[in-house]
Amino acid sequence: MSWLPANWSTRIYALLLLVLALAPFIFTWIGQPFYLDLLSRALILAIAVISLNLILGFGGMVSLGHAAYIGIGAYSVGIPSYYDYYNGWLHLALALTVSAVFALVTGAISLRTRGVYFIMITMAFSQMVYFTFLSLEEYGADDGLVIYSRSEFPEFISMEGATGLYYWIFALLLASLYFVHRLVHARFGRVIVGSKYNEQRMQALGFNTYRYRLVCYVISAMMCSLAGMLLGNFTSFISPDMIGWARSGELIFMVIIGGVGTLFGPLVGTIAFVVLEEALSAITIYWHLIFGIMLVALVLYGKGGIHGWLSLLDRKEEDRG
Amino acid sequence: MDWNLLISQLMNGLQLGLLLFLLASGLTLIFGIMDFINLSHGSFYMIGAYFCGTVVAYTGSFVLGVLIGLVGVFIVGALVEWFIARKLYREDHLDHVLVTFGLILIFDTLVHLLWGASGIAIPLPDVLNGQITLGNLVVPTYRLLIIVAGLLVAAILYILVAKTRLGMLIRAGASNRTMVEALGININRLFLFVFALGAAMAGLAGMLIAPITEASIGMGNDIIIVAFVVVIIGGIGSVKGAFYAAMILGLIDTLSRSYLDALLGLAMPSEYSETAAPALSAMLIYILMAAVLAFRPQGLFPPAGAK
Amino acid sequence: MADHLLRVTSLHKHFGGIAATDDVNLSVEQGRIHAIIGPNGAGKTTLIAQLSGQIRPDSGDIEFGGHSIVNYSTARRARAGLARSFQITSVVMPMTLLENVMLAVQGTGSHSFRFWAPVKHDTALKDAAMASLAEVGLDDRAGRIAANVSHGEQRQLEVAMALAMKPRMLLLDEPMAGMGKEEGSAMVEILNRLKGSITILLVEHDMDAVFSLADRLSVLVNGHIIATDSVENIRGNNEVQRAYLGDGYA
């Protein structure tokens, strides 16, 4: 059985994917179809968190403004729909283009800065997006925007139906995971990871690290806007609230609890966050308090996240032959 | 040209600028000296408003509300520094972001728990509720008070930072913390004081604005970003920079909201200028920040000898 | 007359009121090992930083292979063939030795905007990296994580990475730093083997190493080069002795 992954953590992740693949059937069987909604939302967020982990976990770029791209993706569905343009390809093209351009421009400026400046400038740019959407009276501003129908991809796929949508989300999730996996292990990814740990060294080796990071940032933004587009399809109501910096903070939180810079970390982190949020809010309306305390405690006392704990079950970080 | 509008907008701009200054000055000092990002600084703004409001509800005195509120926020700030911030000074900035984000959640919910979901209105004594006539101008008394109070605090802070020994230590710490430590100064006490002082000033800003806007949960969370922008534009660690940047931003933000669509209307048809103007005026301060970072990344007035 | 691969002309750098680099003139012949020595605080680090592109000089020129590179970024200089190793070990700690050197091969190769093919299947990259590791004797430990190997091995890794860049010239900033006797002599051997094929500018404190390796020596004192000559002549130079040992020893 040498093809079986040797590590416990890998086994657990494989099992997780299996469970996710069978989720609609499991939920119907236990009579709780509502959970599918919850899981759909979690998986959509997971794609966004995977994109954030790409720049933050693997690349060391701490962006406190990634929620802006979710917003761009969602409004790329919302605004055309407002004018009765339901063509999914249009939505997709709009989401990817706008997010890419915005990421290119803001990234070009932000990535000239380091550390805390970078954090704040990304936060500021996302506030800019937030206020922009807030000021667009036409599209609901504060009150939000109702989307009456899902993106249409005629003759190709249907986004209708909860289960159908779930499997599209799941497929895109798998695609995202695979994409990031390949990216990180390819030449490009090695440069990004190397730059996280020792940028000076990477420059001395001949890499224009700024350019690589900018490209990585744009890729991440586009992936995140894809999640936003899915969100716009999944919920029928979007509002600028999904863009605030507090949302970006939650995304970082999900990266952290899952385990920074790991492949599956974002997935487990997001699921854990969403489940926790759901469970805690059922217990008390003050669940944010518990969250806040957990966050503080996590940072002060427990590094590595869920992946860190799981990999304690693995053999120690070994030299690879 | 509507002079009354212009004057009142200028005053609003001044008022906003001074409030931003109160928030940003603490932030820039904490940032500059302890290298600590405090996202929850806006929570002190909120707590100040709530403390003041509660005292006013019990005693009817706005002055008492402010005084006791200030002491209260100072203490809360000191506690946060003692139990949490202090442990993180040498850690990654990401850790600061996460912890203070958690603090925001904690403070917002605690306020919800203790005071309920709807905010507190803070009624002003009659003497402050009226208007004052200055020559040809009629100005709401309370706004004038805010401006005067803000300028007063700015002046006191200036004297503290520029003319006292404590201020010298603060300035030295902002540009070279290791040196201050090497001088044998009790750095912990200095940090505690700076943190608590910053918190108190944020709280003061909250108290001053609350009679106009009401004390509400999470009221500090959006304005704190603007305060960070002020800090970046002014120069991290520089109180003087924070002052000028705050005034500039306050005026630009206020004036652009009133006049930008008229300005744009000169160049384009009104349907466009009417939608573009609010969006553009919202973006203006961020565009300014981007410009400063592009051309003068250390800020407009960086502390002397900053590394 | 041999080609001068590196030519530094009238380099100046001030920090506040202090001249860290004071009218430095230097030229290094192709294929030679040229060493820079000098007492502590002489400005060797600042000089290397300017040569590698970390710091911009206030005035003066740096010519490499006939081109003025004084306005090139660090990365661009590396790609032009000027590689450096760091005095304080600067490698990518969480990666293996092999992964580190593979990055070095990548950096001066064609662009790295390849998003799909896993690097561990890239035999060209791997072979080139292993070759460089072999040159410093680390090929049997290629799979070990950089953070887990000894200090001396990390210094060797630095050199391997610099070599993997296939440079025309190496800037070695105290390669012997923190090494014990055995490791030090191993390093000297490696560098000796490179003589003639690569041009080297070496900054070192370890005098035995310097005297056995260098073709020419420059002595840097207070930011200024007080003498450039062959090893024997420098050894006999009174001014140099005074600079190192103080007055009273001349």
Side-chain angles (χ1 to χ4, degrees):
Chain A
M1 298 270 247
S2 56
W3 55 270
L4 265 185
N7 299 326
W8 271 104
S9 56
T10 322
R11 286 182 189 145
I12 292 176
Y13 294 138
L15 190 62
L16 176 66
L17 285 181
L18 190 62
V19 169
L20 289 178
L22 298 174
F25 303 108
I26 299 176
F27 292 145
T28 322
W29 181 53
I30 62 172
Q32 298 276 26
F34 157 72
Y35 286 162
L36 195 63
D37 265 1
L38 196 62
L39 196 56
S40 297
R41 193 163 76 88
L43 294 191
I44 291 175
L45 275 179
I47 296 177
V49 177
I50 289 172
S51 78
L52 180 60
N53 188 39
L54 179 61
I55 55 170
L56 194 159
F58 289 111
M61 301 172 253
V62 182
S63 166
L64 195 50
H66 233 51
Y69 297 109
I70 296 185
I72 289 177
Y75 275 92
S76 294
V77 176
I79 293 182
S81 301
Y82 181 79
Y83 294 113
D84 289 325
Y85 288 109
Y86 294 106
N87 186 325
W89 297 114
L90 172 68
H91 298 168
L92 185 63
L94 202 56
L96 293 179
T97 317
V98 174
S99 61
V101 170
F102 187 72
L104 194 61
V105 173
T106 59
I109 301 173
S110 314
L111 286 168
R112 292 197 187 280
T113 66
R114 283 285 157 271
V116 83
Y117 287 100
F118 182 76
I119 297 176
M120 294 199 318
I121 193 175
T122 52
M123 182 166 70
F125 277 131
S126 84
Q127 283 295 95
M128 199 168 105
V129 174
Y130 171 70
F131 281 119
T132 305
F133 280 118
L134 200 62
S135 67
L136 297 176
E137 294 291 336
E138 188 67 24
Y139 309 120
D142 222 284
D143 298 326
L145 187 63
V146 176
I147 302 178
Y148 291 101
S149 178
R150 294 193 174 155
S151 305
E152 288 165 9
F153 292 92
E155 302 141 20
F156 189 43
I157 35 179
S158 167
M159 300 281 256
E160 298 300 321
T163 310
L165 186 60
Y166 174 79
Y167 276 114
W168 273 111
I169 297 171
F170 183 59
L172 284 170
L173 174 71
L174 289 179
S176 309
L177 283 171
Y178 187 58
F179 177 69
V180 169
H181 172 73
R182 294 298 291 238
L183 192 70
V184 167
H185 288 102
R187 287 196 179 204
F188 182 79
R190 295 286 94 202
V191 177
I192 294 294
V193 174
S195 302
K196 170 186 175 181
Y197 291 111
N198 196 335
E199 188 170 11
Q200 186 192 48
R201 177 30 102 185
M202 296 303 287
Q203 287 172 344
L205 290 179
F207 295 108
N208 183 336
T209 52
Y210 171 74
R211 233 179 259 171
Y212 286 93
R213 294 179 129 187
L214 184 56
V215 170
C216 191
Y217 186 76
V218 171
I219 292 176
S220 163
M222 289 169 75
M223 207 192 298
C224 195
S225 76
L226 190 62
M229 192 187 139
L230 286 173
L231 199 59
N233 270 285
F234 174 70
T235 70
S236 50
F237 173 75
I238 61 176
S239 83
D241 271 339
M242 43 173 63
I243 303 177
W245 65 275
R247 298 281 93 68
S248 297
E250 282 174 5
L251 291 176
I252 298 185
F253 188 14
M254 293 181 229
V255 172
I256 302 288
I257 34 175
V260 169
T262 64
L263 187 60
F264 282 95
L267 179 60
V268 295
T270 313
I271 294 180
F273 180 92
V274 170
V275 166
L276 205 57
E277 186 184 50
E278 197 61 30
L280 286 179
S281 61
I283 298 178
T284 162
I285 53 167
Y286 302 117
W287 59 275
H288 266 143
L289 181 60
I290 304 181
F291 244 23
I293 296 177
M294 278 181 61
L295 191 47
V296 174
L298 192 72
V299 174
L300 288 178
Y301 304 115
K303 293 304 190 56
I306 295 181
H307 180 84
W309 300 328
L310 281 183
S311 53
L312 286 179
L313 296 169
D314 298 340
R315 291 195 305 259
K316 286 229 48 185
E317 177 64 74
E318 275 220 343
D319 304 327
R320 289 152 259 161
Chain B
M1 183 73 210
D2 184 350
W3 289 110
N4 270 317
L5 180 64
L6 182 61
I7 299 294
S8 83
Q9 290 303 57
L10 278 176
M11 294 200 69
N12 281 339
L14 266 184
Q15 176 188 300
L16 178 59
L18 285 167
L19 287 177
L20 281 176
F21 169 68
L22 287 175
L23 272 173
S25 52
L27 211 54
T28 199
L29 284 178
I30 294 174
F31 219 149
I33 302 178
M34 287 97 94
D35 198 20
F36 184 73
I37 311 183
N38 186 6
L39 289 180
S40 62
H41 201 69
S43 300
F44 298 135
Y45 178 82
M46 169 183 71
I47 292 173
Y50 271 89
F51 279 174
C52 177
T54 311
V55 173
V56 170
Y58 274 107
T59 66
S61 160
F62 186 63
V63 174
L64 260 186
V66 171
L67 289 175
I68 297 183
L70 278 177
V71 172
V73 182
F74 188 88
I75 294 176
V76 173
L79 288 173
V80 169
E81 200 278 343
W82 186 279
F83 285 110
I84 298 179
R86 170 174 298 215
K87 299 192 169 61
L88 294 167
Y89 292 147
R90 299 199 189 279
E91 301 296 328
D92 213 40
H93 288 133
L94 178 58
D95 288 350
H96 302 173
V97 166
L98 290 171
V99 167
T100 53
F101 183 65
L103 278 178
I104 294 179
L105 294 177
I106 294 176
F107 281 130
D108 279 355
T109 351
L110 279 179
V111 165
H112 187 183
L113 244 169
L114 296 171
W115 280 279
S118 46
I120 305 184
I122 304 185
L124 287 174
D126 287 329
V127 66
L128 291 177
N129 250 330
Q131 293 170 322
I132 289 189
T133 326
L134 302 167
N136 281 337
L137 307 165
V138 180
V139 164
T141 320
Y142 188 62
R143 289 194 190 268
L144 198 59
L145 175 72
I146 294 182
I147 293 177
V148 169
L151 287 173
L152 199 62
V153 172
I156 294 176
L157 197 61
Y158 170 71
I159 295 175
L160 174 71
V161 170
K163 308 279 182 200
T164 66
R165 184 163 181 273
L166 175 62
M168 179 205 74
L169 288 176
I170 291 177
R171 272 180 294 133
S175 47
N176 196 331
R177 169 230 193 106
T178 340
M179 185 189 78
V180 176
E181 282 181 315
L183 289 175
I185 308 293
N186 185 338
I187 211 78
N188 288 331
R189 232 182 283 156
L190 182 67
F191 287 178
L192 184 65
F193 177 73
V194 170
F195 200 94
L197 179 66
M201 289 199 295
L204 179 62
M207 287 177 225
L208 287 175
I209 199 63
I212 299 180
T213 62
E214 243 193 37
S216 59
I217 300 179
M219 63 191 273
N221 295 343
D222 278 331
I223 197 171
I224 201 64
I225 312 278
V226 185
F228 272 112
V229 174
V230 167
V231 168
I232 293 186
I233 292 181
I236 295 185
S238 163
V239 174
K240 179 168 82 167
F243 183 77
Y244 289 122
M247 299 313 290
I248 294 173
L249 283 190
L251 286 168
I252 288 182
D253 193 63
T254 317
L255 292 175
S256 73
R257 281 176 207 284
S258 313
Y259 293 109
L260 196 59
D261 62 352
L263 210 65
L264 285 182
L266 296 174
M268 58 178 86
S270 65
E271 320 88 72
Y272 294 134
S273 66
E274 264 163 38
T275 359
L280 196 59
S281 65
M283 295 199 268
L284 218 47
I285 56 174
Y286 301 107
I287 296 175
L288 195 61
M289 177 191 72
V292 169
L293 276 172
F295 297 113
R296 204 176 144 83
Q298 68 272 45
L300 295 178
F301 300 96
K307 29 184 163 70
Chain C
M1 163 110 163
D3 252 325
H4 285 261
L5 188 54
L6 181 73
R7 208 187 284 272
V8 178
T9 326
S10 307
L11 213 62
H12 281 271
K13 182 68 186 177
H14 295 261
F15 290 117
I18 303 176
T21 304
D22 187 8
D23 193 29
V24 164
N25 291 282
L26 183 64
S27 71
V28 181
E29 274 178 56
Q30 186 132 17
R32 303 288 208 190
I33 296 187
H34 192 123
I36 298 185
I37 61 176
N40 277 325
K44 303 195 286 291
T45 315
T46 314
L47 182 60
I48 293 273
Q50 287 171 83
L51 293 178
S52 64
Q54 276 174 291
I55 303 180
R56 287 268 176 283
D58 292 332
S59 65
D61 197 22
I62 303 173
E63 247 184 68
F64 183 66
H67 299 281
S68 169
I69 62 166
V70 76
N71 288 319
Y72 282 21
S73 65
T74 307
R76 197 169 171 200
R77 293 182 201 204
R79 296 179 76 90
L82 184 60
R84 78 167 283 184
S85 75
F86 289 81
Q87 178 190 359
I88 301 178
T89 305
S90 178
V91 298
V92 182
M93 287 297 182
M95 290 189 180
T96 63
L97 301 188
L98 182 62
E99 287 171 335
N100 266 282
V101 185
M102 281 167 83
L103 273 176
V105 178
Q106 254 182 260
T108 39
S110 62
H111 70 84
S112 286
F113 286 102
R114 309 250 168 104
F115 305 96
W116 202 249
V119 124
K120 60 183 178 203
H121 293 329
D122 192 333
T123 32
L125 217 54
K126 248 186 165 176
D127 291 342
M130 286 300 281
S132 295
L133 279 172
E135 275 196 71
V136 301
L138 284 176
D139 49 327
D140 53 344
R141 280 155 279 179
R144 302 206 56 204
I145 292 185
N148 293 346
V149 301
S150 75
H151 174 76
E153 287 166 324
Q154 287 174 351
R155 305 299 292 148
Q156 286 170 277
L157 176 62
E158 282 263 346
V159 177
M161 287 169 81
L163 289 176
M165 294 163 72
K166 298 269 175 284
R168 292 197 279 165
M169 178 163 176
L170 275 178
L171 289 174
L172 296 177
D173 193 355
E174 300 195 37
M176 250 55 97
M179 278 195 176
K181 242 185 156 225
E182 257 190 53
E183 294 172 326
S185 0
M187 179 65 87
V188 172
E189 249 193 75
I190 296 171
L191 295 177
N192 251 319
R193 261 182 279 143
L194 295 172
K195 238 199 230 209
S197 53
I198 300 183
T199 313
I200 297 180
L201 182 63
L202 174 68
V203 169
E204 241 321 321
H205 270 302
D206 183 336
M207 287 308 159
D208 291 329
V210 170
F211 291 147
S212 73
L213 281 172
D215 296 312
R216 284 179 80 69
L217 274 186
S218 288
V219 185
L220 189 68
V221 178
N222 287 331
H224 187 73
I225 296 205
I226 62 172
T228 296
D229 215 324
S230 67
V231 172
E232 308 81 57
N233 290 352
I234 292 285
R235 276 174 110 148
N237 186 316
N238 288 337
E239 229 190 304
V240 171
Q241 290 197 20
R242 227 183 299 140
Y244 265 100
L245 305 169
D247 292 310
Y249 281 87

